Amino acid sequence: MSAEDLENYETDMELQLYREYRDVVSLFNYVVETERRFYLANHVDLQARSADGEIYFDLTLNDAWVWDVYRTARFVKTVRVITFKDVNVEELAKNDDIPMPKDGSLGG
């Protein structure tokens, strides 16, 4: 396999993953980013903890989807992450949460 073949394969896998993400994102309430992974989840429990003077985060996600090209099963029931790095949790806006103009225009 040439370097170009490998690059094309990785590009195709990333495109498939993006398409899957686009198809499933509306099923979830939260986007969660850690140092190592990106998740979609319907329930997030984030606890700051301390041990030996160090602060770390104990993150539990339920009903989740994992952005990972190399995972064959991206839907998971429960994920637990322990990390000393930043964790970003954002609530996703639902389409019905965003008021749309009645005439269909977006301003201007």
Side-chain angles (χ1 to χ4, degrees):
M1 179 178 274
S2 72
E4 184 178 337
D5 290 339
L6 182 59
E7 187 173 320
N8 288 339
Y9 173 77
E10 288 177 349
T11 300
D12 289 343
M13 293 295 292
E14 288 176 9
L15 181 58
Q16 287 176 18
L17 184 61
Y18 169 75
R19 287 179 177 151
E20 183 177 327
Y21 165 82
R22 186 188 61 203
D23 291 343
V24 302
V25 68
S26 64
L27 302 173
F28 296 94
N29 296 319
Y30 299 95
V31 171
V32 180
E33 292 177 90
T34 68
E35 174 192 11
R36 299 192 61 202
R37 296 277 189 276
F38 176 90
Y39 303 90
L40 298 171
N42 281 322
H43 178 74
V44 176
D45 180 29
L46 179 61
Q47 301 292 320
R49 305 211 189 269
S50 177
D52 298 326
E54 296 284 334
I55 301 293
Y56 67 94
F57 299 101
D58 186 347
L59 174 67
T60 302
L61 308 174
N62 291 34
D63 187 21
W65 181 88
V66 184
W67 179 288
D68 188 337
V69 168
Y70 301 105
R71 283 182 74 102
T72 55
R74 284 185 273 278
F75 288 95
V76 290
K77 185 174 180 175
T78 303
V79 176
R80 185 167 182 212
V81 177
I82 307 293
T83 182
F84 287 93
K85 303 291 185 176
D86 290 343
V87 176
N88 183 45
V89 179
E90 295 179 27
E91 187 171 4
L92 290 166
K94 298 295 182 182
N95 288 338
D96 55 343
D97 291 343
I98 303 170
M100 293 298 289
K102 298 212 185 300
D103 66 0
S105 68
L106 296 176

